[in-house]
Amino acid sequence: MPAATDIDAAVAALKAGELVILPTETVYGLAADAADPVAVARIFEAKGRPRFNPLIAHVADLAQAEGIALFDDRARALAERFWPGPLTLVLPIRDRDVVSDLARAGLDTVAVRAPGHPLAHDVIAAFGRPVVAPSANRSGRPSPTTFADAVDETGAFAAAALDGGPCDVGLESTVVALIDRPRLLRPGSVTRAQIEAVVGPLAEAESDAKRSPGRLALHYAPDAPVRLNVDAPRDGEAYLAFGAPGPFSLSETGDLREAAANLFRRLREADRIRPIAIAVAPIPADGLGEAINDRLRRAAGFVG
Ligand code: TXA
Ligand code: MG
């Protein structure tokens, strides 16, 4: 397990085609040089992904993003409003070399975001080119939201690992495609309402497994089965309460931001006591609750 390294070591590792555990404000990522297909292939190997899903290109700022993707007025308006931050835009590709074919899974589009975490920003800025970074979990497992969990999942494959503390947001970025109509591919902490306030009504992802291929059922899944919308847990179940205290409470006060930040960590903690099941309290559907419920349905094995 690599000990925490500094920014210089992380940049050197990226330049050498190695992988880096990279903190972001959403979840920890496993980063590589987007232009280097061998390095990108290492990511898929480390995650044990059954097939090649397109990865998000992480950039330092909008100027760097405009070098790799084609921005229209709507895309620019969203980037100006929410970057740096937990929003990913899927746009037509502009430079096929800087984000390699393998990183895009051969698509004519590219997913791009400027992360808000200062360590992520500083690494990308010092590296000078985009890095691709999926969540640092092994395929199908909950995304890591602490340094220890990230190292535990994929640290063995990383040449450098940056400790950025616990992730503020705790859920992966919101993904919006701006290819035809604006379309919500993955709900996140930038809410549907916040995006619609900038670009108007969002179309649904018709078949999200097809359009955003990483979003399979049984994503984010702990080992124990997960039961949703539970008001009273059964004996032997670990209970993720909401608006009430408890050892695995998502938020004692019923705060959605706190629940999002705690979700993946609590799923891991609950799993460690080897319960017969993990029962989860009902979570309101609106605002940030849309993203929390999306991840919970996947943890429970339902197609979203
Ligand atoms: O918050 C996040 O976005 C984190 C941190 C590390 O930045 N990263 C992350 O990456 O969640 P990953 O690989 O776990 O999820 C990327 C998602 C997948 O669902 C993938 O299918 C989708 O974005 N995606 C990537 N490129 C795409 C494209 N060109 N078209 C449609 N969906 C795309
Ligand atoms: Mg992921």
Side-chain angles (χ1 to χ4, degrees):
M1 141 173 175
T5 44
D6 62 9
I7 290 179
D8 291 346
V11 172
L14 290 171
K15 286 188 175 155
E18 306 277 1
L19 306 187
V20 174
I21 300 264
L22 187 71
T24 85
E25 76 280 30
T26 58
V27 301
Y28 274 77
L30 185 64
D33 179 355
D36 181 345
V38 177
V40 175
R42 280 208 182 105
I43 290 182
F44 291 109
E45 191 194 336
K47 286 183 63 81
R49 274 200 180 180
R51 58 201 171 92
F52 292 155
N53 290 318
L55 303 176
I56 296 170
H58 294 68
V59 294
D61 51 33
L62 179 56
Q64 197 177 46
E66 298 223 34
I68 58 170
L70 292 170
F71 279 70
D72 62 12
D73 289 347
R74 297 169 308 187
R76 208 165 285 121
L78 284 173
E80 277 164 2
R81 169 76 180 76
F82 296 109
W83 283 2
L87 175 67
T88 295
L89 301 174
V90 174
L91 302 170
I93 183 72
R94 173 178 206 149
D95 187 326
R96 291 166 185 276
D97 296 325
V98 174
V99 184
S100 57
D101 258 356
L102 184 57
R104 288 179 285 106
L107 298 172
D108 295 327
T109 56
V110 63
V112 58
R113 94 173 181 97
H117 196 294
L119 279 180
H121 171 272
D122 291 354
V123 167
I124 299 163
F127 180 58
R129 280 190 284 121
V131 301
V132 282
S135 47
N137 51 287
R138 303 264 307 155
S139 189
R141 304 253 312 140
S143 297
T145 57
T146 65
F147 180 69
D149 286 340
V151 168
D152 198 36
E153 289 278 333
T154 52
F157 297 88
L162 286 168
D163 185 351
C167 299
D168 278 348
V169 175
L171 298 178
E172 305 80 358
S173 59
T174 305
V175 181
V176 174
L178 292 163
I179 301 302
D180 39 33
R181 303 167 56 196
R183 214 173 276 277
L184 183 63
L185 300 188
R186 179 170 76 181
S189 71
V190 175
T191 64
R192 177 190 294 276
Q194 286 178 304
I195 293 166
E196 290 186 334
V198 178
V199 296
L202 282 167
E204 285 310 311
E206 283 136 13
S207 157
D208 70 6
K210 193 165 129 214
R211 287 194 162 263
S212 194
R215 308 192 62 231
L216 306 168
L218 258 186
H219 222 76
Y220 318 106
D223 291 331
V226 175
R227 241 169 30 93
L228 303 181
N229 298 313
V230 175
D231 286 309
R234 298 172 186 148
D235 277 353
E237 285 185 334
Y239 187 51
L240 272 54
F242 181 76
F248 306 112
S249 180
L250 293 172
S251 167
E252 291 192 14
T253 59
D255 179 85
L256 284 172
R257 285 211 168 272
E258 187 183 12
N262 283 333
L263 178 65
F264 290 136
R265 186 148 42 111
R266 292 285 181 268
L267 282 173
R268 286 169 186 279
E269 288 166 356
D271 217 19
R272 276 184 206 124
I273 67 165
R274 307 218 156 268
I276 57 163
I278 298 172
V280 188
I283 309 288
D286 284 351
L288 186 49
E290 182 178 7
I292 297 173
N293 280 295
D294 170 77
R295 303 310 190 277
L296 281 172
R297 276 194 299 275
R298 288 165 197 284
F302 299 115
V303 185

